[in-house]
Amino acid sequence: MFSSIAPLARLNPFYAPHFQLVQDGVRKRTEPAEAPTTRRSLAAASAVEEYSCEYGSLKFYALCGFGGVLSCGLTHTAVVPLDLVKCRMQVDPQKYKSIFNGFSVTVKEDGVRGLAKGWAPTFIGYSLQGLCKFGFYEVFKILYGNMLGEENAYLWRTSLYLAASASAEFFADIALAPMEAAKVRIQTQPGYANTLRQAVPKMFGEEGIWAFYKGVAPLWMRQIPYTMMKFACFERTVEALYKYVVPKPRSECSKAEQLVVTFIAGYIAGVFCAIVSHPADSVVSVLNKEKGSSASQVLMRLGFRGVWKGLFARIIMIGTLTALQWFIYDSVKVYFRLPRPPPPEMPESLKKKLGLTE
């Protein structure tokens, strides 16, 4: 009975081979029924490459999540002054006319310490977001890749990156929303609250739990396109840099050289991210400042020109942020000796089908 069911199971559209990382960086297919052998092979390969864990293991995902905590939490906290001025330009463009004017007015009114307003919710919120964003991205990329199969995962790799990053960001924004709401209140409403400890009970007392999650839909509007661009553009830029720019294969590059490529690809991706997500970012900033407004009402009131206020500041901030995030994230992988698959190459089976090999 079971022998007759097995061939039928392989015919279902979601059946896909499992992959493992081996010494030369090539992914080889094994059947699900050979799971114990696969685990032994992965362990052996990891030992040869001196990896600290198997690709796709719980430890791998946990350390990737930790890398996300560091990359997002530290970088977003470091640019709090620029983020504060950007938010104030969005909600009060008459008072904060430009980046330099915004810094000048803020320092004049609140002192130098005023530029650090909102650092605590920024650090906590974006650490949680980074944990989910990078950790779940690795989970969904492997999951969706196995569902597609080796050949389709290569042919549709851009769609794979987009789908995996969108899925990860959906959960990341739920983790981020409460702290993002508190941060915007602290930064854009003078006299409302100066610290997270003051803002949270005040917000809850005025609007209940809804105060922390009313901005989650605009966050999805802002962050999901941003993250899809961030991951897909980064992955394809890395692939292009090694193919057309870097004069030697990735396997021959030192770890330091690989991290330089990571930083450059991250900055390029960050510029596109800023442009794609800026209109929704403007809506989020205004929405969290005002009570009783909806995203559609804010969007209509701001108009086309209004939603692009502060774009230059955001390009500088997000470009730098994205480059540093990928650099930190990849450095964490190097430090903990995690498997780092090379840019994808066309599978041999697909080359034979296309007549590219003899």
Side-chain angles (χ1 to χ4, degrees):
M1 173 176 155
F2 291 105
S3 61
S4 62
I5 292 176
L8 291 175
R10 292 189 178 94
L11 294 176
N12 83 78
F14 297 104
Y15 174 82
H18 292 267
F19 302 106
Q20 64 184 21
L21 199 67
V22 295
Q23 182 178 356
D24 58 1
V26 178
R27 304 175 84 177
K28 295 184 178 180
R29 64 179 286 170
T30 60
E31 298 299 327
E34 300 173 353
T37 305
T38 301
R39 294 191 190 97
R40 287 195 296 271
S41 300
L42 279 168
S46 297
V48 172
E49 289 288 337
E50 297 184 350
Y51 296 138
S52 63
C53 60
E54 297 180 21
Y55 184 64
S57 65
L58 288 177
K59 182 179 178 180
F60 174 80
Y61 293 136
L63 289 174
C64 286
F66 176 68
V69 169
L70 293 182
S71 65
C72 291
L74 295 178
T75 52
H76 277 276
T77 304
V79 295
V80 161
L82 185 59
D83 184 45
L84 180 143
V85 172
K86 182 264 302 178
C87 288
R88 290 184 173 182
M89 287 172 62
Q90 290 170 329
V91 301
D92 194 353
Q94 300 302 318
K95 183 176 181 179
Y96 303 94
K97 297 178 174 63
S98 66
I99 298 176
F100 300 109
N101 175 257
F103 273 104
S104 176
V105 172
T106 300
V107 171
K108 188 179 297 183
E109 293 183 349
D110 302 326
V112 176
R113 291 185 64 183
L115 292 172
K117 274 190 174 181
W119 75 267
T122 297
F123 177 72
I124 297 170
Y126 281 94
S127 293
L128 293 173
Q129 188 215 33
L131 173 68
C132 297
K133 177 185 293 190
F134 283 92
F136 282 139
Y137 174 71
E138 299 289 355
V139 171
F140 285 117
K141 185 168 72 168
I142 293 174
L143 175 65
Y144 295 161
N146 284 342
M147 290 172 64
L148 287 171
E150 186 179 25
E151 293 179 3
N152 287 332
Y154 174 79
L155 291 172
W156 302 339
R157 59 193 183 280
T158 302
S159 298
L160 173 63
Y161 304 145
L162 292 171
S165 57
S167 301
E169 188 60 38
F170 176 85
F171 296 102
D173 288 342
I174 295 173
L176 169 64
M179 292 296 103
E180 178 73 2
K183 182 206 77 167
V184 172
R185 292 286 183 95
I186 293 170
Q187 291 181 340
T188 62
Q189 290 186 246
Y192 184 84
N194 290 318
T195 65
L196 181 62
R197 285 180 295 179
Q198 293 174 351
V200 169
K202 192 170 183 179
M203 291 170 65
F204 185 78
E206 291 176 350
E207 301 179 63
I209 196 69
W210 175 242
F212 301 102
Y213 286 100
K214 72 175 185 178
V216 72
L219 263 181
W220 284 328
M221 290 166 53
R222 180 187 82 184
Q223 291 295 132
I224 289 179
Y226 162 85
T227 301
M228 291 170 72
M229 180 66 73
K230 175 179 180 175
F231 282 83
C233 185
F234 172 80
E235 297 270 20
R236 294 308 300 261
T237 301
V238 167
E239 186 179 336
L241 288 175
Y242 279 113
K243 188 174 182 179
Y244 300 110
V245 179
V246 181
K248 55 185 176 181
R250 179 180 181 268
S251 58
E252 296 178 14
C253 295
S254 66
K255 291 293 190 292
E257 291 170 334
Q258 291 177 17
L259 290 174
V260 169
V261 173
T262 296
F263 184 86
I264 294 171
Y267 210 103
I268 293 171
V271 173
F272 288 101
C273 289
I275 296 171
V276 166
S277 62
H278 190 73
D281 181 66
S282 298
V283 173
V284 170
S285 295
V286 176
L287 189 65
N288 280 318
K289 178 190 175 185
E290 299 179 354
K291 298 177 184 178
S293 296
S294 66
S296 59
Q297 290 171 337
V298 171
L299 186 61
M300 290 179 64
R301 188 168 68 255
L302 287 175
F304 180 79
R305 293 186 62 181
V307 297
W308 294 106
K309 286 283 185 180
L311 176 61
F312 182 65
R314 185 167 169 78
I315 285 177
I316 296 173
M317 184 181 77
I318 297 301
T320 306
L321 271 179
T322 306
L324 289 174
Q325 284 174 4
W326 279 114
F327 182 82
I328 293 171
Y329 181 64
D330 216 22
S331 297
V332 168
K333 283 187 169 182
V334 170
Y335 179 80
F336 286 107
R337 296 180 289 109
L338 300 184
R340 298 164 61 239
E345 295 183 359
M346 184 179 292
E348 290 299 323
S349 58
L350 186 57
K351 289 181 180 179
K352 290 179 181 178
K353 288 181 180 179
L354 298 176
L356 300 178
T357 57
E358 296 181 359

